[in-house]
Amino acid sequence: MDIPGPEPHPDGGAGAVAAAGGLHTYQLRLHAEYGPVVRFQLPGADDAVSVADPVLLEATAHINQRPKRLFEFLAPLCEADNLQVLEASEHGPWRRLLLSVFAGRPSHEQHFARFTELATDLADRWAGHAEDEPVELQKDLTALTLRMICAYALGGDATDPERVSVAFEVVLTEYLGRLYRVPVPGTEEERARRAEEALAYLRATVDEVVAAHHRSGGRAGRSDLIGALVESGASPARIRDTVMVTLLAAHHTTGVAVSWSLHLLGRHPEAAARAADEVDRVLGDRAAPSYADLRRLTYLDMVLKEAMRLFPPGPYGARETTEPLVLGGYEIPAGTTLFYPFWAVHLNPDHWPDPERFDPERFTPEVAAGRPRLAYIPFGLGPRSCEGASLATVEAMLTLSVLLKRLTFRPVPGHEVRPIERFVLWAADDIRMYARPR
C-alpha cells in the first residue's frame, strides 16, 4: 500500500515548503490532509516519511541513526566528527557520558548560583525600562541562556564571557544564515573571515579551559563537562566539538521556551496570576528560588510544558531507518528518512482536545496519565533525544520564577507574534511585551 502524500516536484519540495510558510507549518497541512503517515519531499533529503501519531512513533523510538545529509550544516563546527550523526556504536558511550553530567543534580547545583545571578541581572534591566518601552523577549532571553550555557560548559575559566557570547553569535549567524539563506551584512569573503576568526577564538578558549583543568587537578569551580570529557580520555578535537555542539543546542532553545511561556501568560492573565501566586508562596520574601524550590513550583512547571507543547523550541527531528518497519499498515524500507514533526504531534486533536488552546491543566498527573507516552516530545525521543533536557528545564524554571517574582508582562497592542522556523521555533519579529515591576 502506497503512503499518501503530495505529488513530487522538480524543485525537491522547496516551493511547497516556502508556500506553506516554512517546514513547521507545512507539516501541519500535510497531516491534516493526508493523515498520520505522510510521504513528502524533504529539501536536502529527497523523500521522507513524516509520522504525527504518538502511538505509531513507538515503533521508531529505538532508532539510533540520523540522516547525515540533513545535518551537514553542522560539519564546519566540528573538527573530529559531526556529533549529531555519530554511528550508534560510538554515539551510545558519548551520550552516556553527557547524561552523567547534564542530568545530574550535582552539576545543576554547582552552576545554580551563577544562573541565578544572570537571571537576576536581566530582571533588574527589564525593571528599569521606561513604562512605554517594550522589551524584546527572544533577543534578551536567548542572550541570557547563551551566557548560562557558556558559564556551564566553560566553568569559571572563560576569561571574557561576553566575547565568547559575541563570537558564538558570529558563528551561528554565518552558518545558520547559509542554511536558511538569510541575508547577512558584508561580502561572502568578509563573513567567512569573521566566522573563521570567531570559531578559532572559541576553540582556543576551550583549549585554555582544558589547560586550566589540568593545572588545577580538576578542582571544583572548573567545567564539569570538560572535566568529564578529559577524564574519559577524549581527544582535544572531540572535547572542542562537544563544547561547540553543547553551545549550539542549548543557545536558543531554552531562551525561546521561556519567551513563549511569557507570551502565553501575557495573553492569559488568570494563568499568569496563578503562576505568580505560586512563586510568591514558594519563595516568600526571597527574590529567587533555591534549587530545591523548583520541584515545588508545580503550576509553573505545567505552564512551561504547555508552552513547549504549543511552541516546541525544536519543531522537528529526523531519523534514518536501519531495518524495514511497518507503520500504520505501510511498509517503510531500511534507509528511509523518518521525519518527526513535533509540532504536528503536539497539535494532534486525537490526543489533545482543542489542541491550540492554552491549558496548563493538561499536565496534571491525572490528565497526563491518559495520553500516549510520545504525545509530548519537546526534547525528542529515543536514544537521540536531547541530553540536556534536565538542565534546560532547570534554567527555564529558574528564569521564569525570577522574572515572575519581579515583573508582570502584557502584550504590546498591535504587535503580531508569528512563529517561524530558524533552527528553533522563533517569532518573526520577536515577542515584544511591556515588563513592569509588580
Side-chain angles (χ1 to χ4, degrees), residues 301-363:
D301 179 65
M302 293 193 293
V303 167
L304 176 63
K305 287 176 176 173
E306 177 70 342
M308 289 194 293
R309 180 188 72 83
L310 286 167
F311 300 104
Y316 43 72
R319 303 289 187 273
E320 186 175 294
T321 58
T322 53
E323 58 187 9
L325 292 175
V326 176
L327 294 177
Y330 302 111
E331 294 184 5
I332 312 293
T336 299
T337 295
L338 281 180
F339 191 83
Y340 292 158
F342 300 153
W343 211 20
V345 173
H346 287 181
L347 296 179
N348 186 326
D350 293 339
H351 304 285
W352 301 98
D354 194 6
E356 296 188 18
R357 178 172 55 89
F358 174 68
D359 180 11
E361 296 291 326
R362 299 178 196 270
F363 288 94

Side-chain angles (χ1 to χ4, degrees), residues 49-359:
V49 174
S50 183
V51 184
D53 186 307
V55 178
L56 296 179
L57 285 176
E58 289 282 1
T60 77
H62 66 285
I63 299 174
N64 193 358
Q65 185 79 20
R66 278 189 172 138
K68 293 184 178 180
R69 287 175 58 192
L70 285 180
F71 291 86
E72 283 179 354
F73 74 97
L74 291 174
L77 301 183
C78 299
E79 296 172 283
D81 299 291
N82 188 335
L83 295 172
Q84 294 298 312
V85 293
L86 287 178
E87 296 297 328
S89 59
E90 193 176 0
H91 173 256
W94 181 74
R95 175 181 172 82
R96 286 192 291 274
L97 174 64
L98 292 189
L99 285 172
S100 73
V101 179
F102 291 146
R105 175 170 180 159
S107 173
H108 300 166
E109 289 191 308
Q110 177 182 333
H111 298 277
F112 197 78
R114 179 56 179 154
F115 290 170
T116 301
E117 289 176 9
L118 291 168
T120 302
D121 287 347
L122 178 61
D124 290 344
R125 184 152 54 86
W126 279 359
H129 273 233
E131 189 165 340
D132 60 348
E133 181 185 3
V135 298
E136 294 180 313
L137 264 60
Q138 292 191 333
K139 173 179 172 289
D140 288 350
L141 285 165
T142 55
L144 167 66
T145 53
L146 177 57
R147 292 186 181 95
M148 284 182 170
I149 199 60
C150 284
Y152 182 90
L154 300 174
D157 294 305
T159 56
D160 191 346
E162 282 303 314
R163 187 178 173 192
V164 169
S165 299
V166 170
F168 199 72
E169 282 289 357
V170 169
V171 171
L172 264 188
T173 299
E174 174 61 16
Y175 291 115
L176 292 184
R178 293 177 193 173
L179 177 66
Y180 293 107
R181 298 180 177 86
V182 175
V184 179
T187 67
E188 185 175 342
E189 292 77 14
E190 290 170 338
R191 297 197 309 270
R193 177 182 53 77
R194 285 198 300 267
E196 288 171 8
E197 290 174 352
L199 192 52
Y201 168 73
L202 290 169
R203 287 172 173 162
T205 299
V206 176
D207 287 343
E208 175 53 33
V209 176
V210 172
H213 177 89
H214 286 302
R215 290 194 299 268
S216 72
R219 291 194 303 271
R222 307 304 182 189
S223 166
D224 44 358
L225 171 61
I226 288 177
L229 290 163
V230 169
E231 290 159 18
S232 75
S235 69
R238 174 56 59 83
I239 293 172
R240 288 190 289 267
D241 289 351
T242 301
V243 172
M244 293 297 293
V245 169
T246 298
L247 295 177
L248 171 70
H251 171 214
H252 286 120
T253 47
T254 307
V256 296
V258 175
S259 301
W260 289 118
S261 299
L262 295 174
H263 163 72
L264 289 164
L265 288 174
R267 283 156 176 75
H268 298 86
E270 291 183 6
R274 182 172 171 183
D277 287 347
E278 179 183 71
V279 169
D280 288 345
R281 184 173 67 255
V282 171
L283 272 59
D285 58 1
R286 290 173 293 137
S290 67
Y291 180 78
D293 286 333
L294 299 185
R295 294 179 61 86
R296 300 168 59 200
L297 295 168
T298 54
Y299 185 72
L300 188 59
D301 179 65
M302 293 193 293
V303 167
L304 176 63
K305 287 176 176 173
E306 177 70 342
M308 289 194 293
R309 180 188 72 83
L310 286 167
F311 300 104
Y316 43 72
R319 303 289 187 273
E320 186 175 294
T321 58
T322 53
E323 58 187 9
L325 292 175
V326 176
L327 294 177
Y330 302 111
E331 294 184 5
I332 312 293
T336 299
T337 295
L338 281 180
F339 191 83
Y340 292 158
F342 300 153
W343 211 20
V345 173
H346 287 181
L347 296 179
N348 186 326
D350 293 339
H351 304 285
W352 301 98
D354 194 6
E356 296 188 18
R357 178 172 55 89
F358 174 68
D359 180 11

